[in-house]
Amino acid sequence: MKFAMCLELDHGPKWIHARQLGVDHAVVLGDTQGGHELWRYENLLRLKTRFEDAGLNLAAIEGLIPMDHIKLGTPEREAELEAFCQTIRNMGALEIPVLCYSWMAHFTWVRTSTTTRARGGALTSSYDHALTQRAPEANHLRLTEDKLWETYAYFLDRVVPVAEKAGVRLSLHPDDPPLSPVLGVGRIFGRPEAFDRAMAMKPSEANAITFCQANFSLMDGPARVPELIRHYGKQIAFVHFRDVRGTAESFVETFHDEGHTDMFAAMRAYRDIGFNGPIRPDHAPSMEGDPNTRPGYEALGRIHAFGYMQGLLEGVDAMRRAT
Ligand SMILES: [Mn+2]
């Protein structure tokens, strides 16, 4: 597996931290304002070489590629699909192997606090469904689950062949939180069975899963996490290694060593399935000295996360050698 750090677009201290931690791979989230501009071939090329010149290999792109028209099935869908497919072709030409996307429309992950006090006063994010349910827009459904399945099928038919040809894996991220609806917007990828259905709709190596571990732990409880990793097996293209405590309706994000999931068993399962894609920590708490301007993606909490992951992997490998 390839340890990767989610990094900003421009060189900075976190890029240097990655190399000092022994991390060779980068993941970018893109920017919210740029539309498709960042993903044009020449811009993506310079992004890739910028990482390479700093000793990092760009292993995945995730997040903010415009997709809402595709998800909603609005008249602008065709133009957006064409731009999306062009991004995939550009990634293929540049040998960037994973494109992580979600099927959350209008907005992506939702938290009700980003200043919840964690261990020793670290700041973390948390979610309380009762609070979002009180929003006025929670009372009328803006987008149905049926519509989302319909647009999803259309998307797969159009995009999977392009991804196959480009050698890029489309990696589906679960809904966060795994609930539906949230703020009046239906969601469809908050259950393990929904991922089975998605993979069966278009069986292909290019049709793959981002195993965002904490979301899967909130679907049926943390005890199922290693089993689900083995169940999806080679269909997992990308891992978000993170943990929480609580339920889908009420949870708090934790340091990697204090959540409700057996992280050693999870790491062992990734090894057992032969996972060789990028794996990155996700949503670590902000520690003293972190500004908490990008909750979940600050420097210090993630440095702890990498040390923890490296220790887990060494333990797993020692155990596998011994048995
Ligand atoms: Mn995630």
Side-chain angles (χ1 to χ4, degrees):
M1 64 188 80
K2 304 176 177 96
F3 280 10
M5 189 186 283
C6 191
L7 292 166
E8 280 108 20
L9 299 175
D10 293 307
H11 189 272
K14 291 173 189 169
W15 289 38
I16 301 166
H17 291 159
R19 290 294 303 121
Q20 292 178 347
L21 289 164
V23 173
D24 297 323
H25 299 273
V27 172
V28 289
L29 285 178
D31 61 355
T32 44
Q33 308 302 322
H36 295 284
E37 186 63 19
L38 178 63
W39 315 117
R40 284 172 44 208
Y41 179 82
E42 59 273 35
N43 292 336
L44 194 54
L45 168 64
R46 279 194 298 272
L47 182 65
K48 182 184 158 80
T49 54
R50 192 152 71 239
F51 280 116
E52 282 175 355
D53 293 342
L56 293 160
N57 178 53
L58 182 54
I61 287 169
E62 62 176 289
L64 303 164
I65 299 175
M67 293 182 77
D68 251 18
H69 292 301
I70 304 172
K71 293 171 185 173
L72 300 172
T74 50
E76 297 88 342
R77 167 166 65 179
E78 292 306 319
E80 206 170 69
L81 268 170
E82 185 40 49
F84 191 86
C85 289
Q86 189 58 42
T87 296
I88 293 170
R89 291 184 205 106
N90 294 343
M91 288 177 66
L94 291 166
E95 299 180 324
I96 303 166
V98 174
L99 195 166
C100 174
Y101 71 103
S102 81
W103 214 248
M104 295 180 273
H106 293 299
F107 46 83
T108 60
W109 59 297
V110 177
R111 294 292 181 271
T112 51
S113 167
T114 54
T115 49
T116 301
R117 263 55 180 180
R119 186 168 67 195
L123 299 180
T124 195
S125 73
S126 61
Y127 182 75
D128 180 350
H129 198 50
L131 294 177
T132 56
Q133 286 294 87
R134 283 163 56 180
E137 61 263 46
N139 295 316
H140 47 91
L141 191 64
R142 283 187 278 164
L143 178 61
T144 67
E145 296 178 17
D146 286 347
K147 181 70 183 178
L148 282 169
W149 279 114
E150 180 195 316
T151 59
Y152 188 65
Y154 189 86
F155 165 79
L156 285 184
D157 279 341
R158 286 288 301 275
V159 176
V160 168
V162 175
E164 278 174 350
K165 198 166 169 212
V168 172
R169 301 190 80 185
L170 299 166
S171 193
L172 172 63
H173 188 286
D175 299 336
D176 185 355
L179 295 172
S180 177
V182 174
L183 293 166
V185 177
R187 292 180 162 192
I188 57 175
F189 289 115
R191 293 290 310 151
E193 304 78 51
F195 283 81
D196 291 331
R197 179 173 168 184
M199 295 303 108
M201 283 165 78
K202 200 82 179 169
S204 165
E205 198 181 327
N207 186 18
I209 296 169
T210 296
F211 199 83
C212 186
Q213 208 176 261
N215 283 306
F216 281 96
S217 81
L218 291 169
M219 294 179 193
D220 286 330
R224 274 201 81 191
V225 165
E227 169 205 330
L228 287 171
I229 294 166
R230 291 190 169 86
H231 171 69
Y232 298 126
K234 297 288 184 199
Q235 289 172 312
I236 298 175
F238 187 19
V239 174
H240 286 179
F241 200 72
R242 56 177 273 250
D243 209 358
V244 292
R245 271 196 312 268
T247 62
E249 289 79 15
S250 177
F251 63 85
V252 59
E253 308 231 26
T254 65
F255 283 101
H256 282 68
D257 64 304
E258 56 157 10
H260 64 187
T261 303
D262 183 339
M263 301 292 253
F264 187 84
M267 190 61 91
R268 188 178 183 186
Y270 296 125
R271 263 301 196 233
D272 287 348
I273 65 169
F275 176 68
N276 63 1
I279 178 170
R280 70 164 180 84
D282 204 1
H283 301 178
S286 299
M287 296 178 69
E288 185 66 23
D290 283 328
N292 202 37
T293 49
R294 292 198 68 191
Y297 296 94
E298 296 290 358
L300 297 178
R302 289 193 298 171
I303 288 173
H304 168 264
F306 277 112
Y308 186 74
M309 289 166 66
Q310 287 162 328
L312 281 180
L313 191 59
E314 196 171 315
V316 164
D317 285 346
M319 191 175 74
R320 281 164 52 95
R321 279 196 301 275
T323 54

